[in-house]
Amino acid sequence: MLAPVASASFEKDIEHIEILAATPVTSSVLLARNLQYIYERAAKARFDDYDVVEIAKNAQGLIYRLFDLRVGLRNHLAHYEMLGLMTPDVTQGFRDVFRVLRYVSDMLGEITTGHPRVGEGGYLLRGFTGSDNNTLVNYPFYQSGAAQNFRSGDVILVRGTAHNSAAIARIGDVDSQFSHIGIVYIDPAGDHWMVESLIEDGAIISPLAKALDHNIVRAVLYRNRDADLAARAAKYIFDYVAASHAKGGKRILYDFSMRTDDTRNLFCSKLVRLAYEQGSFGMFKLPTYPTKIARKNKDFLDRVGVATDLTFAPADIDMESSFDLVAEWQDYRETAGIRLQDFTMDKLFEWMDRYNYRFEETTAIKLVSTLGRFASHLSENAKEVLSSVFPRVPVNMPRKTVAVVAMLHKTAEPIYQELLKLNQEAVADTGVPLHGLDVMAALENIREREGNRIGYLVRRGR
């Protein structure tokens, strides 16, 4: 068995994983096997099988060991690519390992900080701030006790708090923990900007500090190793988006199709792709390992407007060997929340595929989505006033998409609240958060209890 026993040392288990990660391999089969062993050992480990007090005491060092382990694995990507070992199984193995080790690290952070939560009306930290070991810095980029400053062309991968963020992170064949990506531009005056494409606003430019204050729970800073290429990419996309907002310019709307071959409208990662493609004069195209959208149940994807089977998902940047992982940040007060959102979305999509659940509109949803479409044509001030009543949506979002986003939120939210209560009870009883296997079991109990109707999901063909 790969799972630890009650007497096992957590540090010993990390040491075993480190040995597996450092073991030289000469075939893709061996590499995929080692990655699978790492994933299983990490995924099956339960913190209540260890000395929680001892773990909390050493958590800072343990968190950095897990971070350094992921950085080390990423640093081998170029070597494995050169050897021709990056098969689909190996690529999936890397993604799985990165994801599960982030979850383990999150839980360590939650344990060592005492599981605080952002209270009613409270605020999340700004990205890359905080005093609870929130920001982990890759050692080569660590100078004078702090991470190096941002650089033009840096790419920032983030995760927000909304249920639709979890859906975006889970929409492809690869489960990820990220829903959005943007690119940093530093102008000649030294001002820092984020260039990004948001669902509500399309392609925009905003102060970097404001973008990092935008309800995010985790963020990762990536840096292309070619500084000149990165600078050209940032300058191009800044000028391109600025021109679209200038007098006589045509606004760049959000692209719901997720296609990468048409640049009239841009979704977030397509904006980053366009920046680097233009900055390299067409020679550098992201991503190396695209996300496949191949879910059996196409109903949800059709309602959202997805019109491709292959895309550049935000988290695909995690697999780009030409980008260094500079720093990673998380607000441990809310990492448990987005973890529960992830698992909830996993199950909702699984239930759509396996049990043929479909979203079914009610009269109320039809009214809200219709009014939301009407509100999208009003002024920005009017939208803000109506935001508590009507969905704030872009002018190019179809009514059916407004409806399915509303139904997704209203279906996921009560499930999430139930899981949150179970997690809080587990913390109170054991001092550790609910294990992923227990979360999945709880979700299945909810499905069995609710039967053929789960929120706005209705089982067809029963």
Side-chain angles (χ1 to χ4, degrees):
M1 288 288 290
L2 292 172
V5 294
S7 61
S9 161
F10 186 68
E11 291 198 50
K12 286 289 185 183
D13 277 346
I14 291 181
E15 183 179 336
H16 184 75
I17 289 174
E18 289 169 334
I19 291 170
L20 280 172
T23 301
V25 294
T26 55
S27 77
S28 58
V29 173
L30 289 175
L31 179 55
R33 185 195 65 182
N34 284 356
L35 291 169
Q36 181 65 22
Y37 284 166
I38 293 171
Y39 173 77
E40 289 183 4
R41 193 171 194 103
K44 293 179 181 178
R46 291 178 178 269
F47 280 110
D48 48 7
D49 286 334
Y50 302 99
D51 185 337
V52 179
V53 174
E54 194 67 22
I55 287 176
K57 192 162 50 175
N58 300 316
Q60 181 172 349
L62 296 173
I63 288 170
Y64 251 108
R65 283 177 69 177
L66 291 171
F67 175 71
D68 290 342
L69 174 59
R70 287 193 286 111
V71 169
L73 285 169
R74 280 195 89 254
N75 289 343
H76 282 94
L77 287 175
H79 177 66
Y80 292 139
E81 288 170 344
M82 181 185 67
L83 295 178
L85 303 186
M86 295 299 292
T87 63
D89 285 345
V90 168
T91 303
Q92 182 66 50
F94 272 110
R95 293 183 192 265
D96 288 341
V97 166
F98 293 158
R99 183 178 71 254
V100 74
L101 292 183
R102 278 194 179 100
Y103 282 144
V104 174
S105 182
D106 287 346
M107 289 189 279
L108 280 170
E110 293 158 26
I111 290 169
T112 193
T113 55
H115 308 278
R117 295 295 312 283
V118 176
E120 187 72 27
Y123 294 94
L124 288 164
L125 296 171
R126 175 180 293 175
F128 303 106
T129 68
S131 57
D132 289 321
N133 212 42
N134 300 92
T135 304
L136 308 172
V137 183
N138 188 353
Y139 185 75
F141 301 94
Y142 196 82
Q143 293 184 347
S144 304
Q148 284 186 356
N149 293 332
F150 292 100
R151 195 173 75 184
S152 259
D154 283 351
V155 172
I156 300 180
L157 183 65
V158 304
R159 170 62 185 276
T161 58
H163 290 296
N164 63 330
S165 294
I168 292 170
R170 272 13 203 192
I171 206 167
D173 65 339
V174 177
D175 292 340
S176 86
Q177 297 147 312
F178 299 95
S179 55
H180 183 64
I181 194 169
I183 185 169
V184 175
Y185 173 69
I186 303 175
D187 66 22
D191 292 325
H192 290 46
W193 305 95
M194 175 77 95
V195 188
E196 57 189 334
S197 184
L198 302 175
I199 291 176
E200 300 91 343
D201 304 305
I204 63 167
I205 297 168
S206 57
L208 179 59
K210 179 181 178 182
L212 293 177
D213 248 341
H214 192 62
N215 248 9
I216 60 173
V217 180
R218 66 165 85 250
V220 189
L221 174 63
Y222 295 95
R223 177 166 297 161
N224 193 278
R225 292 173 184 166
D226 186 335
D228 291 335
L229 165 60
R232 290 194 305 270
K235 180 67 165 61
Y236 168 81
I237 203 65
F238 179 87
D239 290 345
Y240 183 66
V241 174
S244 74
H245 288 267
K247 186 176 181 179
K250 185 176 181 181
R251 295 288 292 270
I252 303 168
L253 302 177
Y254 189 87
D255 183 3
F256 295 95
S257 75
M258 305 297 285
R259 292 172 54 187
T260 58
D261 59 347
D262 182 356
T263 58
R264 287 175 299 174
N265 294 330
L266 299 172
F267 57 90
C268 62
S269 39
K270 185 159 70 167
L271 181 146
V272 174
R273 171 188 168 96
L274 178 64
Y276 272 90
E277 183 177 354
Q278 293 297 318
S280 65
F281 311 106
M283 300 299 293
F284 184 73
K285 292 188 178 183
L286 295 166
T288 304
Y289 306 100
T291 290
K292 294 179 181 177
I293 301 177
R295 296 196 180 274
K296 296 174 184 176
N297 186 343
K298 295 288 188 180
D299 178 66
F300 177 78
L301 298 177
D302 289 342
R303 292 181 191 232
V304 171
V306 175
T308 183
D309 294 326
L310 205 64
T311 192
F312 178 16
D316 290 340
I317 202 75
D318 212 15
M319 294 294 296
E320 292 297 328
S321 61
S322 59
F323 284 79
D324 286 316
L325 196 165
V326 176
E328 187 159 328
W329 169 89
Q330 43 278 312
D331 189 335
Y332 294 118
R333 298 173 301 163
E334 285 300 309
T335 48
I338 61 171
R339 187 168 62 249
L340 296 176
Q341 285 182 336
D342 287 345
F343 294 154
T344 297
M345 210 54 58
D346 279 340
K347 281 298 183 180
L348 291 183
F349 283 134
E350 179 187 319
W351 297 339
M352 291 181 210
D353 287 349
R354 179 176 294 183
Y355 302 110
N356 204 30
Y357 281 91
R358 296 286 189 274
F359 281 109
E360 186 174 279
E361 293 187 30
T362 62
T363 301
I365 286 293
K366 289 177 181 178
L367 177 62
V368 167
S369 59
T370 300
L371 291 175
R373 288 293 303 120
F374 169 74
S376 71
H377 293 277
L378 300 179
S379 68
E380 290 302 312
N381 286 338
K383 289 180 186 179
E384 293 297 336
V385 170
L386 294 172
S387 62
S388 62
V389 180
F390 306 127
R392 183 173 179 268
V393 296
V395 295
N396 65 325
M397 179 185 274
R399 190 207 64 80
K400 66 177 182 180
T401 306
V402 178
V404 80
V405 170
M407 289 188 291
L408 177 73
H409 173 81
K410 290 180 176 293
T411 298
E413 180 62 17
I415 296 174
Y416 165 73
Q417 291 297 333
E418 185 170 336
L419 294 178
L420 199 59
K421 183 180 178 182
L422 290 174
N423 189 69
Q424 291 167 339
E425 290 172 354
V427 168
D429 291 342
T430 66
V432 299
L434 206 60
H435 190 274
L437 294 175
D438 296 327
V439 176
M440 291 303 189
L443 284 162
E444 280 302 314
N445 288 337
I446 290 171
R447 182 188 63 80
E448 292 175 3
R449 182 190 72 206
E450 297 299 317
N452 294 321
R453 179 179 287 276
I454 306 169
Y456 287 87
L457 281 174
V458 177
R459 191 172 182 178
R460 301 288 179 81
R462 53 188 183 271

